[in-house]
Amino acid sequence: MKKQPAKLSAREVFARNLRRARRMRETTQEGLSLEAGVSRPYVGSLERGATNVSIDNMGRLADALRVPLRDLVDPDKFTDLDEA
């Protein structure tokens, strides 16, 4: 019997999708932070799932990545990409 993958929390889904969307745009954490108006360490902590994020910052990051905000919280988005 196949083992079901563990369900990710909303924070973990956001962290994974943020990192994958950033890598798809081929930008650095620094570049994303400058476009979104947040600090680079903050982007890193979000991508690790170590920090809660406000809805305002979620919007800024989505806008900077040019993706709909819903894509950053959709557990089925970006699942075909390898986590390198």
Side-chain angles (χ1 to χ4, degrees):
M1 190 158 92
K2 273 191 170 180
K3 186 178 180 183
Q4 293 292 327
K7 184 177 179 193
L8 297 177
S9 69
R11 185 190 309 183
E12 291 167 328
V13 169
F14 182 81
R16 182 197 65 195
N17 288 358
L18 179 66
R19 174 175 285 159
R20 289 178 175 181
R22 177 181 60 78
R23 288 180 174 174
M24 281 179 51
R25 294 224 349 113
E26 298 180 344
T27 191
T28 61
Q29 289 180 349
E30 182 74 21
L32 175 57
S33 69
L34 290 171
E35 279 196 57
V38 298
S39 72
R40 199 246 2 116
Y42 180 65
V43 171
S45 69
L46 291 175
E47 288 186 355
R48 289 190 308 277
T51 302
N52 281 320
V53 61
S54 72
I55 192 73
D56 292 334
N57 284 338
M58 290 170 76
R60 286 185 190 104
L61 291 161
D63 289 347
L65 290 168
R66 295 173 182 80
V67 299
L69 176 54
R70 69 178 171 270
D71 286 0
L72 295 180
V73 294
D74 184 346
D76 297 323
K77 275 292 193 194
F78 309 113
T79 55
D80 58 337
L81 301 175
D82 290 333
E83 189 70 38

